[in-house]
Amino acid sequence: AQSVTQLDSQVPVFEEAPVELRCNYSSSVSVYLFWYVQYPNQGLQLLLKYLSGSTLVKGINGFEAEFNKSQTSFHLRKPSVHISDTAEYFCAVDSNSGYALNFGKGTSLLVTP
Amino acid sequence: GAGVSQSPRYKVAKRGQDVALRCDPISGHVSLFWYQQALGQGPEFLTYFQNEAQLDKSGLPSDRFFAERPEGSVSTLKIQRTQQEDSAVYLCASSLGLAGINEQFFGPGTRLTVL
């Protein structure tokens, strides 16, 4: 089954510093990869997705991710974070079903002044 | 342009009670999903509807869980004889077409606490 592993459960970072949230996937076939953000008491919001084509994917709120097939990774990056980026971030891959998503356990990003 | 809505937002049930959780997807969305999110975990797939047809219920943890979408819009997730391990946030998502390529839009979730 296709799955993702988020290597960091918590990432503390200072405001305006760069950040990288790591995600590795396991799959022997082509995949669709996603990053979602979840703010407290809210549903998940799609940040970006990789379906095919360019390996560098740009999303909302200044986030981007790079699909690396050789390393089976899809790390999320932002060059300068804001306090408002404090949230839970989930990496996800399409399951073998082709419709349901398999999520990682999430990374809690905490941005402090 | 309302998003996916869920009700109630919070539900406290005594062990053994039945509960019903409602999801109103975005109008016109064909696909509807239910996910269960335990504390500190990512969402886990429960079931999938395409219009009114329940095409996949492989993620439902037991036969106490039942979902329906009779008219292809609103969906209800019912849990019978709730147990403490059912405590979680239940997320509903919808997408315009077949998901995978199409974005899934998530509701705010219903937080179920079973005492």
Side-chain angles (χ1 to χ4, degrees):
Chain A
Q2 296 172 176
S3 64
V4 294
T5 301
Q6 293 184 244
L7 300 169
D8 307 296
S9 60
Q10 292 184 338
V11 174
V13 63
F14 289 112
E15 190 177 19
E16 297 183 4
V19 70
E20 177 180 83
L21 306 183
R22 296 181 293 169
C23 173
N24 286 87
Y25 67 92
S26 62
S27 173
S28 59
V29 297
S30 60
V31 294
Y32 300 145
L33 290 158
F34 307 80
W35 275 100
Y36 280 84
V37 60
Q38 187 176 33
Y39 298 103
N41 297 316
Q42 295 186 27
L44 282 76
Q45 180 182 9
L46 182 67
L47 278 175
L48 48 80
K49 60 184 177 182
Y50 172 78
L51 303 180
S52 65
S54 173
T55 57
L56 183 62
V57 181
K58 292 190 182 295
I60 62 172
N61 300 341
F63 284 93
E64 64 181 31
E66 185 160 16
F67 172 67
N68 188 319
K69 188 174 182 179
S70 63
Q71 297 186 4
T72 61
S73 68
F74 191 57
H75 300 333
L76 181 70
R77 301 185 182 99
K78 186 169 183 178
S80 176
V81 294
H82 302 292
I83 299 289
S84 58
D85 292 323
T86 294
E88 193 80 15
Y89 291 80
F90 293 95
C91 183
V93 65
D94 65 306
S95 70
N96 291 331
S97 69
Y99 43 79
L101 295 175
N102 288 337
F103 287 86
K105 291 186 176 182
T107 297
S108 179
L109 177 63
L110 177 61
V111 182
T112 55
Chain B
V4 178
S5 61
Q6 294 184 244
S7 60
R9 290 292 312 278
Y10 303 90
K11 177 69 178 177
V12 178
K14 293 183 179 178
R15 191 173 60 176
Q17 279 186 328
D18 298 349
V19 298
L21 312 180
R22 176 187 169 107
C23 172
D24 285 79
I26 295 172
S27 178
H29 276 197
V30 168
S31 297
L32 186 144
F33 304 81
W34 284 97
Y35 291 85
Q36 180 190 58
Q37 185 177 17
L39 188 64
Q41 302 295 315
E44 292 192 359
F45 170 76
L46 293 178
T47 187
Y48 165 58
F49 289 86
Q50 189 176 116
N51 295 308
E52 69 278 4
Q54 188 176 22
L55 299 185
D56 188 341
K57 54 182 181 179
S58 62
L60 296 177
S62 78
D63 59 6
R64 296 186 294 104
F65 287 70
F66 172 77
E68 60 183 5
R69 193 186 186 198
E71 298 179 357
S73 55
V74 172
S75 177
T76 303
L77 176 67
K78 298 179 179 179
I79 309 174
Q80 298 177 325
R81 304 181 303 282
T82 53
Q83 304 294 314
Q84 284 190 325
E85 61 264 28
D86 301 335
S87 295
V89 175
Y90 291 86
L91 296 168
C92 175
S94 69
S95 71
L96 185 58
L98 284 179
I101 294 177
N102 291 287
E103 178 181 352
Q104 292 187 32
F105 292 85
F106 283 80
T110 294
R111 182 178 298 276
L112 173 65
T113 302
V114 182
L115 304 177

